[in-house]
Amino acid sequence: MSDASKLLTAAANNLAPRRAEEFLPRRFLRNGHLQTLVGNFLPRQYVLPEPEAHVVEVDHGKVDPGKSIPGQDALWPGDSMAPERFAEAAAAAHARGASYVLCHCHWQANAGQCLTVLLVHGLEGSSRSQYVLGNSARAWAAGCNVVRMNMRNCGGTENLSPTLYHSGLSADVAAVMRRLAAEKLLSAFALIGYSMGGNVVLKLAGELGKYTPDYLKAVVGVSPAMDLAVSADALHSLSNRVYEWKFLAGLRRRFRVKAELFPAIYSTDGLERIATLRQFDDQITARYSGFRGADDYYHRASSSRVAAQIGVPTLILHALDDPFIRMLPSTREALLANRRVELIETTHGGHCAFLAPRAAGYDGYWAEKLLLDFLLSVTKP
C-alpha cells in the first residue's frame, strides 16, 4: 500500500466527518478515475445571460511615489467594466507591474439585495470551466448574482499581469470582493472554489479569521487542495501520470506565452526538462513568485495552515477516492474541531465530479445541488 493510500485509510478509520452525507455514484462510475474523467468531459447545457466583463486591479505593482495611485481600499476611477479597461490594464501591467483579473459577472435586476456567488476555478481552469458554468447556472436560477473570476493569466488574460498565478493568491479574491462590493453596493458574498480554487478561498477565509468583512457570509471548497505538497506528490504516482502530463502541458504552454509577453522577466531555458508538477513549482512557480522553492511554496500557500481560523460558515466536500487530492490527518482534525466548518467526506466522487444518478428534475450533479442548498440556508435573512 502506498503512503498516500495509508493516509487515506488511517483518516477514514480514525476520524469521521462531523456530518455523514450519503452519496450514491452514478451507475458504472464507482471508480474515482471514471468519476473524474466523465465529470470533466460530459457535455452539459447551461442557461445564463450574457455576462458583463469586469477587469479588477488586484496588485498595484511598483508605484511612483510622485503619482497618485488608489490605495488598497480605494477605487480606480471609472467603471471596472468600461471597454477601455482592457487596454489600460495591459498598459499598466507592462509599465508599473500592476496585475488585473478578468471577471465575468451576471447581475440580477436588484443586485444589491441579492447574494453574490463568486466562483474560483482550479489549476489551468478558467471562468468557462464546466463546473464553474454549472454552479453559475444554478446560482443564477436561484436568484443570486454570479461572478466567475479568472485567476491571474487565466481565461486568455496573460497580458494583464506580469506575474504568474499560484495557490497562494487569496488576496486577489479579497480585492475582487472589495471592488465589486463598493462598485455595485453589494452586501452579501459567498465564495465557491474548486480544487486549487478551493484552497484559495479557504486560505482567504482562514487568513481573515475574526476580521472577516461583514459582506462575506459563507465559503465552499470542493475537492480543495488544502495540503499542496502531499497532493503534488500524489499527482506523480503512476496511476495519476496522465493528469500530471495534462497539467504540465498547459502550464508549459502558458509559461511560454508569459515569456513572450514579458521577456525581461521570464526565461524558458530548461522548461522542456521539467517532468513533474513539483519540478515546475520548484523551478518556475517558486522562482518567479518569491518562494524559496517548492516546499516553501507548498507550506506557505496551503490553506491547511489556517483551517482552524476559518470564522464563517464553510462547507468542504472531499471524496476519499479522489485520484490525487490528499488531506492530511492533521488538516482533517483541524476542520472537525472548527464549529464553523462542515466537512463532508464521501467514499466515491472522484475529483470535482460527484456524479449521482439522474432523476426527474435532477441532473445528478450532487455537489452543485448540495453546496447551493448550503449557501442558501446559511445566508437566508
Side-chain angles (χ1 to χ4, degrees):
M1 183 181 289
S2 67
D3 290 342
S5 297
K6 291 177 181 177
L7 279 174
L8 285 176
T9 301
N13 291 337
N14 298 331
L15 290 169
R18 179 178 298 146
R19 171 175 150 217
E21 188 72 27
E22 191 67 31
F23 168 68
L24 177 66
R26 191 171 298 183
R27 190 180 183 188
F28 304 124
L29 296 181
R30 295 180 65 85
N31 177 279
H33 293 287
L34 288 176
Q35 277 273 340
T36 301
L37 295 171
V38 174
N40 189 53
F41 294 109
L42 189 67
R44 298 183 66 179
Q45 292 184 334
Y46 316 95
V47 178
L48 277 170
E50 283 298 310
E52 289 182 356
H54 289 249
V55 178
V56 179
E57 185 178 67
V58 294
D59 186 341
H60 299 317
K62 297 178 180 178
V63 179
D64 184 341
K67 294 182 178 180
S68 177
I69 299 293
Q72 186 181 36
D73 294 311
L75 294 182
W76 186 11
D79 193 332
S80 68
M81 65 170 288
E84 61 269 18
R85 287 283 291 210
F86 288 91
E88 292 174 353
H94 285 268
R96 58 181 170 86
S99 292
Y100 303 81
V101 297
L102 170 64
C103 297
H104 290 115
C105 305
H106 309 269
W107 305 114
Q108 301 285 349
N110 55 339
Q113 302 171 38
C114 301
L115 174 67
T116 298
V117 175
L118 191 160
L119 297 112
V120 186
H121 60 80
L123 183 65
E124 286 304 282
S126 74
S127 63
R128 292 198 57 80
S129 291
Q130 189 177 94
Y131 50 83
V132 172
L133 291 170
N135 280 288
S136 297
R138 284 182 190 276
W140 174 261
C144 302
N145 304 315
V146 174
V147 176
R148 296 185 282 124
M149 174 182 163
N150 288 285
M151 296 187 72
R152 301 187 194 192
N153 303 308
C154 298
T157 63
E158 287 88 351
N159 64 327
L160 298 186
S161 172
T163 69
L164 305 179
Y165 80 108
H166 59 76
S167 290
L169 293 173
S170 49
D172 287 6
V173 180
V176 170
M177 284 197 296
R178 188 166 54 243
R179 174 67 198 231
L180 294 179
E183 189 171 296
K184 292 289 184 178
L185 303 179
L186 306 174
S187 60
F189 278 90
L191 304 178
I192 301 174
Y194 272 61
S195 194
M196 176 182 180
N199 178 68
V200 170
V201 299
L202 293 170
K203 179 173 177 284
L204 175 61
E207 289 167 339
L208 291 172
K210 63 182 180 180
Y211 300 105
T212 300
D214 290 340
Y215 54 66
L216 179 54
K217 305 299 184 182
V219 176
V220 175
V222 180
S223 304
M226 299 185 69
D227 293 302
L228 292 170
V230 68
S231 296
D233 292 340
L235 191 63
H236 188 58
S237 66
L238 186 60
S239 62
N240 291 327
R241 205 66 58 83
V242 65
Y243 305 114
E244 185 173 48
W245 289 340
K246 181 179 184 298
F247 285 134
L248 281 175
L251 289 166
R252 289 196 197 97
R253 183 165 53 248
R254 192 182 306 278
F255 187 71
R256 292 190 194 96
V257 173
K258 295 297 291 186
E260 291 177 3
L261 290 169
F262 300 92
I265 299 176
Y266 302 109
S267 170
T268 59
D269 291 347
L271 181 63
E272 296 306 318
R273 292 193 295 273
I274 294 176
T276 71
L277 181 64
R278 177 178 274 275
Q279 288 176 357
F280 186 91
D281 285 336
D282 190 64
Q283 299 176 36
I284 303 295
T285 306
R287 174 185 176 187
Y288 292 109
S289 302
F291 301 100
R292 295 190 299 273
D295 287 333
D296 182 50
Y297 163 50
Y298 293 152
H299 172 70
R300 291 165 59 187
S302 289
S303 59
S304 57
R305 290 193 309 112
V306 293
Q309 282 75 57
I310 294 174
V312 293
T314 297
L315 173 67
I316 297 175
L317 303 179
H318 172 64
L320 292 174
D321 68 351
D322 189 310
F324 49 84
I325 295 299
R326 302 290 183 260
M327 183 180 290
L328 293 173
S330 57
T331 301
R332 182 175 285 101
E333 189 172 5
L335 295 174
L336 293 172
N338 189 329
R339 292 181 175 274
R340 306 312 298 272
V341 176
E342 275 305 328
L343 171 62
I344 296 179
E345 295 189 283
T346 60
T347 303
H348 305 287
H351 184 65
C352 298
F354 298 98
L355 295 175
R358 298 184 184 92
Y362 175 46
D363 59 8
Y365 284 88
W366 180 83
E368 294 179 10
K369 181 179 184 301
L370 184 70
L371 71 85
L372 182 60
D373 289 345
F374 170 81
L375 292 180
L376 295 179
S377 69
V378 300
T379 60
K380 63 185 178 183

